[in-house]
Amino acid sequence: MFRKTTAALLMALAVAPVAQAKSASMCVFDVIGANGDVYNLMKDYALEMKGQGVDIQLKPYTDEGVALGDFQSGQCDILAATDIRIRQFNRFTGSISAVGAIPTYDDLRTVLATLAQPKAAKLMKEDGYEVLGITPAGAGYLFVNDRSIDTAGELAGKRMATLDYQKDAIHMVDYVKATVVPSDITNFAGKFNNGSVDTAYAPAFAYEALELYKGVGQDGGIVDYPLAQLTIQLVAKDDAFSDEMAQASRETVWGMYGQAMALVEKSEKNIPEKQWIRIPDKDIQGYQEMFRENRIELRDGVNGAPEVYDPKMMALLSKVRCASNPGASECTAGNRE
Amino acid sequence: MQTSIIPRFRMSGSKNRILLAFGLLAFLSGCGYNPVYQTTGAVMTGYSESEATPYVMQMSDANMACNLGNSLDPLVYSFGRVTDKPDTTGSLLQLLAANCSEAQAWEEELRYLRANYQDDVPTAKDARNAEKRWHALTAERRLKAFERAMRAYEYDPSDPEAECPFLYADQDELTYLLGLLTGLQAIINDTNSGGAAGVPKDIAPQAERAAQCVDNEKWGGIPDAIRANVWLLLPDTRPAMAPDPWRVLRHSSELGVKAGFRAAMALEVVAAETKGRDDIIADVIGRFEASEAGFDVHEDYRLVDEVGRSVVLHASDKHWTEEYGYRTPRTYFGQMSPNSAADAEVMDLDSLL
């Protein structure tokens, strides 16, 4: 009897702190660990949250897969990782990085502001997990070792470092008839720099931090078109934070948008002007349609594409694009997303 | 008979030679004349003026520049004992040293505001006391800088009929102008110290008159900004037909941006603080940040721009600390509050829910 009561009490004690979440641990993925930009941003986040009554301890991870594993095995309450990894917990927010879906940073700002509203809270929960904030990590660009690769057609036959867990990217690489060279965040830069692949995609940040300029060399460049908007997302078990605290967390992360974008802009400015490959407007229109068709395939899982993107997010992103660029052909297309 | 005096000494042994050397030294120092010191002094002050000053003015590291003032002033100015007082360089060195002590005063001021924000009265009081001490030291240094600059150009600011000094080169104009500016700042520091330094208040009208000796446009609006500050402090000094001081300050700030050093903007923010005009403080901070886009700093006066920036940043830090308990976050410089979701356009989510 006594043992049962004790057990019940202990159970109650064990459950109570989780529900109140006065403290929480957080696994933070940052390519350069505790001295990186993401980790530094999360330190500011933790301080803001402390001001709201939650004590968050951060733990840096330079391997995103390990961070994910530790989160799944319960070693930390919150995971901060790229949205590609977050997809498995929330397909809606994990679809922000859909190919070509957010062509400008202004559009990204609208998307993230929209998702930080209390009204969006419902969309942040999925299958027992909840997204606690989204912050930009910069647009992904195509890095090439030869400037003549400046059209989608030129990619045919080229070897491209592709994240092996990013099904939509694999589909796109297949679509342009390039060759997938399976990689992860820790080794794609090395492959590009030593010439074992011809192209790779990454945010501007990687140009200096991962020394992609080595692979770009004298003959290569960076195609000035955002292939996808990479974001860092915070996810936790649904019951880790109360609804109010979860919303406060999302608004806190949104409040750090300016800080995160300043880092993104700085990385993009660090790329010398001569390294950018500008592409003509008429080509851009063609690419936009190509990406749109692929997104629809990846949303519906047709034409051999896996079912990756969330239809609601596709609809929202289409709405944002058409609000800022109402004249685009997609806005009057019969099969609007 | 053929032997000269020198061989004779040589013959008399080493003891005598040492005696002779001491005797010569005693003779020279006895007359207060040491050719080595004097030559070194001339080289040192000449070098400081022609090379070190322009070099320092081009620096963007205001902290290093102020430490240079702290450490070199006693050495350089001590040559005033053996040669002419190096007042031009001496004025700039005191000015730089004053920036160091003012930075300390600012830190204490922020500590006071933070403690105030947390309702921690003893800490707030302690910080205020420490702030006043640093302001007193700053005021003393600035008063010296002002006096040295005026003496360097033989300008007697207390004479209402004084003629404008002859300023040979741009560097002279700048030294003279910064001297005036420093005099004005000395009054403000003295007030903030609780009058501990005893800076004569009549420096303000003197600086107002003296500022008319240099070209306003060439010097990025600093001369008129000094005058407008004085008009706001002492309305009697304002000439009858003079335009509204706030308009003059704003125009001066624009000239500063054009000239490539934004010291006038710092003077505008100081005036707004003196008069408690929060609206103008916010406006100047916003304009300063906005001016960054496409701003070309004047290479020769980068330090002047940096010091101007530190004044505007401190105004922003004070506001942030007072309102939120911490100084301006890096990417928020230019705005007076943390932005919220309300700042951005949002999409209607009804159709998705």
Side-chain angles (χ1 to χ4, degrees):
Chain A
M1 177 64 191
F2 173 73
R3 196 181 285 169
K4 264 188 182 171
T5 318
T6 317
L9 268 171
L10 281 173
M11 284 288 283
L13 281 173
V15 171
V18 174
Q20 290 170 359
K22 287 290 174 207
S23 72
S25 58
M26 182 163 162
C27 295
V28 181
F29 165 63
D30 189 313
V31 193
I32 37 182
N35 289 317
D37 291 336
V38 175
Y39 192 80
N40 195 31
L41 207 63
M42 288 307 125
K43 269 158 100 174
D44 288 342
Y45 164 78
L47 193 57
E48 290 282 342
M49 291 308 288
K50 197 167 194 165
Q52 313 213 27
V54 189
D55 203 351
I56 298 175
Q57 289 93 39
L58 306 176
K59 196 177 169 205
Y61 287 79
T62 51
D63 187 323
E64 198 175 23
V66 177
L68 174 72
D70 278 7
F71 172 66
Q72 283 173 317
S73 65
Q75 291 189 46
C76 43
D77 306 309
I78 309 169
L79 170 69
T82 59
D83 45 21
I84 304 161
R85 294 284 193 182
I86 302 293
R87 265 178 202 163
Q88 56 186 296
F89 305 109
N90 188 314
R91 186 185 277 208
F92 177 72
T93 63
S95 300
I96 291 178
S97 60
V99 286
I102 306 177
T104 67
Y105 285 128
D106 279 346
D107 283 355
L108 177 68
R109 187 182 166 87
T110 310
V111 173
L112 298 188
T114 303
L115 299 183
Q117 300 175 103
K119 221 177 184 177
K122 231 174 94 184
L123 297 160
M124 298 296 127
K125 289 189 187 189
E126 216 174 277
D127 296 335
Y129 289 94
E130 181 164 17
V131 172
L132 298 176
I134 308 169
T135 192
Y141 294 102
L142 191 68
F143 287 69
V144 296
N145 60 5
D146 180 349
R147 289 183 78 88
S148 66
I149 313 174
D150 58 354
T151 61
E154 303 278 353
L155 284 168
K158 297 287 185 294
R159 295 157 303 165
M160 192 187 285
T162 314
L163 300 182
D164 47 17
Y165 51 85
Q166 195 181 2
K167 290 179 186 150
D168 50 338
I170 294 170
H171 177 73
M172 275 309 302
V173 178
D174 287 343
Y175 180 86
V176 295
K177 299 190 170 55
T179 310
V180 170
V181 177
S183 312
D184 62 47
I185 294 184
T186 51
N187 65 20
F188 82 94
K191 287 181 182 169
F192 181 65
N193 289 343
N194 70 21
S196 51
V197 298
D198 305 301
T199 71
Y201 55 91
F205 154 83
Y207 181 78
E208 272 192 350
L210 303 180
E211 301 180 305
L212 289 191
Y213 50 82
K214 286 186 181 166
V216 169
Q218 291 299 313
D219 306 324
I222 300 120
V223 180
D224 182 22
Y225 185 80
L227 297 176
Q229 290 292 349
L230 199 67
T231 58
I232 298 292
Q233 302 192 4
L234 278 54
V235 70
K237 284 261 176 66
D238 192 1
D239 56 5
F241 277 15
S242 67
D243 284 355
E244 294 75 33
M245 195 52 83
Q247 182 55 29
S249 165
R250 284 189 289 270
E251 287 176 19
T252 297
V253 177
W254 162 242
M256 294 161 67
Y257 177 84
Q259 197 180 340
M261 273 314 291
L263 292 167
V264 170
E265 283 163 12
K266 202 167 158 237
S267 309
E268 296 194 353
K269 272 194 194 136
N270 281 346
I271 297 179
E273 180 56 35
K274 67 177 172 79
Q275 300 285 38
W276 288 104
I277 302 170
R278 312 283 178 199
I279 45 175
D281 277 352
K282 61 173 175 43
D283 286 9
I284 288 176
Q285 280 175 23
Y287 294 138
Q288 280 173 343
E289 186 52 27
M290 175 185 89
F291 284 133
R292 193 178 79 91
E293 283 166 13
N294 272 282
R295 282 196 302 271
I296 293 171
E297 288 175 5
L298 286 157
R299 177 192 70 186
D300 301 339
V302 294
N303 292 343
E307 211 177 305
V308 179
Y309 298 151
D310 181 90
K312 281 181 182 170
M313 180 55 83
M314 292 308 104
L316 173 65
L317 299 183
S318 159
K319 229 165 117 175
V320 172
R321 286 194 304 275
C322 288
S324 63
N325 182 18
S329 60
E330 66 158 322
C331 307
T332 48
N335 61 346
R336 238 191 106 170
E337 286 164 88
Chain B
M1 282 302 285
Q2 281 178 345
T3 47
S4 70
I5 189 167
I6 296 167
R8 237 188 6 249
F9 270 118
R10 235 182 233 158
M11 284 161 72
S12 61
S14 60
K15 209 174 178 183
N16 282 345
R17 264 184 279 150
I18 293 166
L19 274 175
L20 174 73
F22 269 108
L24 268 170
L25 267 178
F27 171 73
L28 290 172
S29 58
C31 296
Y33 176 81
N34 185 325
V36 176
Y37 289 174
Q38 203 182 33
T39 314
T40 312
V43 170
M44 194 86 170
T45 50
Y47 177 79
S48 301
E49 246 177 75
S50 62
E51 302 300 331
T53 301
Y55 179 82
V56 170
M57 285 294 160
Q58 287 181 349
M59 280 168 68
S60 60
D61 186 338
N63 179 265
M64 188 182 277
C66 89
N67 280 304
L68 175 112
N70 262 351
S71 46
L72 275 195
D73 180 77
L75 176 69
V76 173
Y77 208 71
S78 70
F79 283 101
R81 292 162 64 108
V82 291
T83 177
D84 291 341
K85 282 194 165 71
D87 277 324
T88 47
T89 309
S91 161
L92 287 172
L93 289 171
Q94 281 291 341
L95 176 154
L96 294 173
N99 288 345
C100 266
S101 48
E102 188 170 57
Q104 298 288 340
W106 286 351
E107 278 306 313
E108 294 297 348
E109 189 178 11
L110 295 181
R111 186 163 73 90
Y112 147 70
L113 291 170
R114 272 196 306 276
N116 211 25
Y117 182 85
Q118 293 163 336
D119 296 322
D120 178 353
V121 178
T123 306
K125 278 189 181 171
D126 178 67
R128 279 281 288 155
N129 292 339
E131 182 199 341
K132 284 178 188 173
R133 289 185 196 178
W134 284 112
H135 273 303
L137 184 63
T138 310
E140 283 165 19
R141 289 177 179 178
R142 287 193 163 148
L143 181 61
K144 264 190 204 153
F146 169 74
E147 287 168 348
R148 286 181 187 178
M150 296 303 108
R151 201 161 51 226
Y153 300 104
E154 293 169 357
Y155 180 80
D156 177 8
S158 61
D159 175 6
E161 304 301 320
E163 277 184 26
C164 282
F166 179 67
L167 301 167
Y168 181 69
D170 279 359
Q171 193 175 311
D172 294 317
E173 288 189 27
L174 183 67
T175 310
Y176 170 77
L177 181 61
L178 291 181
L180 295 177
L181 176 56
T182 317
L184 186 68
Q185 288 173 303
I187 301 174
I188 299 169
N189 292 124
D190 190 30
T191 312
N192 287 332
S193 76
V199 175
K201 294 281 187 287
D202 57 357
I203 286 183
Q206 292 171 7
E208 199 274 340
R209 277 195 304 275
Q212 296 171 55
C213 293
V214 276
D215 186 73
N216 187 50
E217 208 154 312
K218 178 178 174 185
W219 293 108
I222 301 175
D224 276 2
I226 293 177
R227 298 187 67 201
N229 259 279
V230 178
W231 297 345
L232 288 166
L233 281 173
L234 309 165
D236 284 352
T237 55
R238 186 179 157 201
M241 299 299 285
D244 171 50
W246 295 113
R247 262 183 55 203
V248 173
L249 283 164
R250 198 188 162 108
H251 179 63
S252 301
S253 293
E254 284 163 12
L255 289 176
V257 176
K258 249 189 239 165
F261 44 97
R262 294 164 289 186
M265 242 179 205
L267 279 163
E268 191 181 357
V269 94
V270 167
E273 281 178 343
T274 310
K275 299 301 262 186
R277 291 287 301 268
D278 290 346
D279 54 332
I280 296 180
I281 296 175
D283 185 47
V284 180
I285 294 169
R287 275 189 280 128
F288 191 96
E289 210 283 323
S291 74
E292 297 282 18
F295 176 72
D296 278 325
V297 68
H298 193 306
E299 256 184 37
D300 292 337
Y301 309 121
R302 201 175 276 132
L303 186 66
V304 180
D305 187 63
E306 275 305 317
V307 173
R309 170 199 299 280
S310 68
V311 173
V312 179
L313 181 60
H314 180 63
S316 171
D317 283 347
K318 273 196 282 190
H319 167 84
W320 276 81
T321 310
E322 230 173 314
E323 292 294 317
Y324 310 107
Y326 50 88
R327 66 191 76 198
T328 326
R330 196 175 72 81
T331 50
Y332 285 78
F333 181 48
Q335 58 193 73
M336 307 305 272
S337 64
N339 60 3
S340 67
D343 295 338
E345 188 190 351
V346 291
M347 287 286 142
D348 180 25
L349 284 170
D350 286 346
S351 57
L352 302 182
L353 297 169

